[in-house]
Amino acid sequence: MGLADVVRYFTHAFTATVIECALVSLVSELTDVKLQMNSVTISVLATVTSLVVSFQANNSYARWWEGRNLWSAISTNSRQMAMLLWIGAGPPKPPTDKPADKDKKGAQGQPGPDTSQDASGAEGQMAGTDAKDEGSEEHDAVALLIGKKSYINLVHAFAVATKHALRGEHGPFYADLYPLIAFLPRYNPSVARPGRADVLGPWRSGVPSDSSVDCDVLAVPLTPAFKLNSTCDEKTAGESTFDMLARAKDAATRLGGEDGKAPEIRIIELLPPRHPPPAKIYDWFPFIRQLERFTNLFKSDERLQASGRDKSGKRRRSGGVRLAIPQEILHYLGLYINTLLASGAINSSITGPLLTNLLNLSSALSDLEKVATTPLPSAYRAHLRLTVWCYLFFLPFQLYEYLAWLTIPATAVAAVTYLGFLEIGGQIEMPFGYDETDLDLDSYVLRIGAQLGAVTAFPTKQPTSLMPLSPLNQPFVPTLSMSATDMLGAEPPPTSPTRKGFAAAYESPATTLSSDEDSSSDGLALSHGTYDSERPQNASATLTETCNSATRPDSPRPRRSVRALETTLLANAREAYEMQYFQLADLEKPTGLGVAVALL
């Protein structure tokens, strides 16, 4: 509870009960009328009131604690799923013919391999194959890292999207959500001119915080996030802002408007990670909150939703809970796991835990929706408040006989106690808002991001059998202080700089880089969205031609090596760790990031 809540509770007690106690005391003291009641009636009413208040407070706290446990489950399952995907998923296994198929082909008289080639021809063919494999190996390793990191970002995006959905913040246009899901398809690509009916689930939302656009208009993003105050020559995601907007215009021509023309393109600003309704005078002066509650009784639900408040005065976005985006993210994660299993990139022993984590995330999402959309019955809350106020109303008639003028402070203490429990129950009944008594969803999401960043900062491949052979390893201390290399009588395994990353440094010295190549050609710039090399010559090649090593004889060198990506992942982990300690005010500042959208 914050100071504002304490002031509000005292205001509730003082405005009603203390004035009534003063009137009872004045009448009894200055007149011959003695306002007294039988103490038995008040005692029975006090017992009933205590029970119902305790039940309401316990029920509300149970909802608050259930929400906290569900977010703990999301954090645990997200971390486990990320670790299994990062460590357990490998490159797809090439298809192999079964022995039975080979025997069947031989029995049918099909020609076998040509064994008449001389030794020199065989060696030349093997050398060409080795060169081709060497050229595609680094490209495939980088593509594998990109794929795994992208889908682990979706695991983080699930928590972020769930946070926004529980707060009634609809759509993907938030600075902490859009960069994580921007690569997901926007519409059905098999349609010549996709329209509104072909827009996929995560993108079926309008422009955020823009009253000049009809709420029925769909905003389909066309670009990654870029700085709004950037110059036309400043590069984002490898291309200048001018080129990015030109490409967005070309992409918009593929979309079909209602009149058959190309849709309107608009640049919008991404909303900050924390986007509460604007503060009002009641938030700065809590002692007049009673006036707001009185006026809310005469307001319709539509007016309350438009003002971003509920009847108790808590800040809450209108529109209800929409879980379309987190549910779609779970679908994509399930498809990715199925693809890994079908291609042989993971084995069945890892598939089981991955599917269990996926189902646990889906179950947590359903339980969070239950808590967010199922308030306590209004009749129960109204009768409970009536019971408490009746008890506080009749309490001075019993206490005056024994306490005289001290009835006023005694009744005030009782009012603060009972009304405080009622107010606490109302505050924590819906724990997904922006108040101090609500769950700190922003902190939970940032912690999940930091945990996943720590997972992806760990190299995917490590020579676990060679790492213990270090002069720093004393496995038998304190009994034996000799290091592993001393016991073996050998030198530690040599390492050599290489573009292929952590594990390859322990492998063949053929991958060693020269000092010039190591310093100039690898490009270790860590700034987000920047590149230190020019665009490749075959930039117009399709994604399938680029990623499928089986169809390209000469693989282009990736613009980022495995070693550079491992360094970048370490930097990402450090930034995610530092973001855990951001203040709430920092999360509400304008982001300065924009995205171009097509309005359908």
Side-chain angles (χ1 to χ4, degrees):
M1 273 194 313
L3 178 61
D5 299 317
V6 176
V7 174
R8 185 163 61 249
Y9 302 154
F10 180 78
T11 303
H12 294 170
F14 183 82
T15 54
T17 58
V18 174
I19 296 177
E20 187 254 344
C21 289
L23 292 176
V24 172
S25 300
L26 287 174
V27 171
S28 300
E29 186 71 21
L30 302 179
T31 65
D32 296 335
V33 179
K34 301 299 181 182
L35 300 178
Q36 298 178 2
M37 290 185 63
N38 192 337
S39 60
V40 176
T41 303
I42 301 298
S43 299
V44 173
L45 186 59
T47 303
V48 175
T49 304
S50 300
L51 291 176
V52 295
V53 169
S54 175
F55 177 78
Q56 192 261 359
N58 290 336
N59 194 6
S60 298
Y61 180 75
R63 294 166 58 88
W64 187 91
W65 187 244
E66 183 182 5
R68 182 63 185 94
N69 287 336
L70 291 174
W71 273 99
S72 177
I74 290 177
S75 176
T76 301
N77 287 279
S78 299
R79 184 170 59 250
Q80 292 176 356
M81 177 177 285
M83 182 180 63
L84 292 174
L85 288 176
W86 190 249
I87 302 298
K93 295 182 179 179
T96 57
D97 293 335
K98 296 182 179 179
D101 296 337
K102 293 182 179 180
D103 296 341
K104 184 177 180 180
K105 292 180 181 180
Q108 293 175 353
Q110 295 183 359
D114 186 7
T115 59
S116 62
Q117 292 180 341
D118 56 8
S120 60
E123 291 177 357
Q125 184 177 2
M126 293 177 61
T129 304
D130 293 342
K132 178 181 177 180
D133 293 341
E134 182 69 22
S136 62
E137 180 181 356
E138 184 178 3
H139 186 280
D140 295 341
V142 171
L144 179 63
L145 276 179
I146 292 174
K148 292 198 292 186
K149 184 63 169 68
S150 299
Y151 281 94
I152 289 178
N153 285 346
L154 280 189
V155 178
H156 184 205
F158 170 80
V160 178
T162 302
K163 175 195 73 171
H164 289 298
L166 293 176
R167 289 176 170 175
E169 300 170 345
H170 304 150
F173 298 107
Y174 292 89
D176 57 344
L177 177 60
Y178 179 76
L180 301 176
I181 64 174
F183 70 95
L184 297 181
R186 275 99 164 121
Y187 48 82
N188 188 347
S190 64
V191 182
R193 287 180 60 83
R196 291 174 55 91
D198 303 299
V199 178
L200 299 180
W203 314 105
R204 300 191 66 86
S205 61
V207 178
S209 300
D210 193 341
S211 58
S212 64
V213 178
D214 187 3
C215 60
D216 293 333
V217 172
L218 297 185
V220 181
L222 303 174
T223 64
F226 59 89
K227 294 181 180 179
L228 292 175
N229 57 353
S230 61
T231 62
C232 293
D233 296 332
E234 185 173 347
K235 289 187 175 182
T236 301
E239 60 184 345
S240 66
T241 304
F242 179 81
D243 294 337
M244 185 185 302
L245 296 179
R247 184 165 56 85
K249 184 177 180 180
D250 294 337
T253 58
R254 288 195 57 199
L255 300 175
E258 295 182 357
D259 53 358
K261 299 180 180 179
E264 176 189 354
I265 299 179
R266 177 171 300 188
I267 298 178
I268 62 173
E269 182 178 4
L270 296 180
L271 298 176
R274 180 180 170 88
H275 187 57
K280 295 184 178 181
I281 188 174
Y282 307 108
D283 300 310
W284 302 107
F285 301 98
F287 54 85
I288 61 175
R289 180 65 61 86
Q290 284 288 82
L291 177 61
E292 181 193 26
R293 290 197 172 191
F294 178 76
T295 57
N296 286 344
L297 296 177
F298 304 96
K299 292 181 180 179
S300 62
D301 294 337
E302 290 76 11
R303 290 186 60 188
L304 287 175
Q305 291 181 357
S307 63
R309 305 280 167 155
D310 57 13
K311 290 187 179 296
S312 64
K314 291 187 63 174
R315 292 185 292 177
R316 183 171 300 164
R317 288 287 175 184
S318 61
V321 177
R322 299 180 185 177
L323 301 176
I325 295 181
Q327 188 62 50
E328 290 282 342
I329 291 175
L330 292 181
H331 289 167
Y332 283 109
L333 289 173
L335 289 174
Y336 181 59
I337 295 173
N338 184 58
T339 302
L340 292 176
L341 180 62
S343 63
I346 56 175
N347 54 42
S348 57
S349 62
I350 297 180
T351 306
L354 281 175
L355 293 178
T356 300
N357 296 141
L358 189 67
L359 294 177
N360 289 340
L361 290 178
S362 179
S363 176
L365 186 64
S366 300
D367 292 339
L368 287 172
E369 182 184 20
K370 176 191 66 176
V371 174
T373 59
T374 311
L376 292 178
S378 58
Y380 172 80
R381 289 183 295 175
H383 185 71
L384 176 60
R385 289 187 176 275
L386 179 62
T387 303
V388 171
W389 282 108
C390 288
Y391 170 72
L392 295 176
F393 177 80
F394 291 111
L395 183 61
F397 297 95
Q398 177 188 6
L399 296 181
Y400 180 79
E401 180 181 0
Y402 306 99
L403 301 179
W405 288 104
L406 293 179
T407 300
I408 299 176
T411 306
V413 172
V416 169
T417 303
Y418 281 97
L419 295 178
F421 278 115
L422 284 182
E423 188 67 22
I424 291 174
Q427 288 287 326
I428 66 177
E429 179 186 353
M430 290 295 177
F432 305 128
Y434 306 93
D435 294 344
E436 296 181 12
T437 52
D438 293 322
L439 294 173
D440 191 0
L441 303 187
D442 300 285
S443 176
Y444 302 159
V445 170
L446 291 176
R447 290 177 185 174
I448 291 176
Q451 293 168 0
L452 300 190
V455 169
T456 55
F458 189 83
T460 56
K461 292 176 59 181
Q462 292 198 19
T464 54
S465 60
L466 296 179
M467 286 189 298
L469 306 180
S470 169
L472 302 179
N473 182 22
Q474 297 173 305
F476 299 103
V477 293
T479 305
L480 182 63
S481 61
M482 294 180 63
S483 66
T485 54
D486 291 338
M487 286 185 284
L488 292 175
E491 295 295 328
T495 59
S496 56
T498 173
R499 290 173 52 92
K500 296 183 179 180
F502 188 96
Y506 286 85
E507 296 175 358
S508 173
T511 60
T512 304
L513 294 177
S514 64
S515 59
D516 295 336
E517 184 182 8
D518 180 53
S519 61
S520 61
S521 65
D522 196 20
L524 296 177
L526 299 181
S527 59
H528 294 294
T530 60
Y531 292 86
D532 58 354
S533 59
E534 298 297 329
R535 297 179 65 85
Q537 297 297 326
N538 59 344
S540 61
T542 63
L543 181 62
T544 304
E545 294 173 348
T546 305
C547 295
N548 189 359
S549 61
T551 62
R552 46 179 168 78
D554 297 323
S555 300
R557 168 174 286 189
R559 300 172 66 187
R560 280 292 182 271
S561 66
V562 175
R563 182 189 61 183
L565 293 181
E566 289 176 348
T567 307
T568 303
L569 290 171
L570 283 173
N572 287 344
R574 289 194 297 269
E575 292 182 9
Y577 178 80
E578 294 172 356
M579 288 182 64
Q580 295 183 93
Y581 304 102
F582 278 14
Q583 300 296 326
L584 294 182
D586 297 330
L587 299 177
E588 297 178 7
K589 294 180 180 179
T591 61
L593 298 176
V595 60
V597 299
L599 303 181
L600 296 179

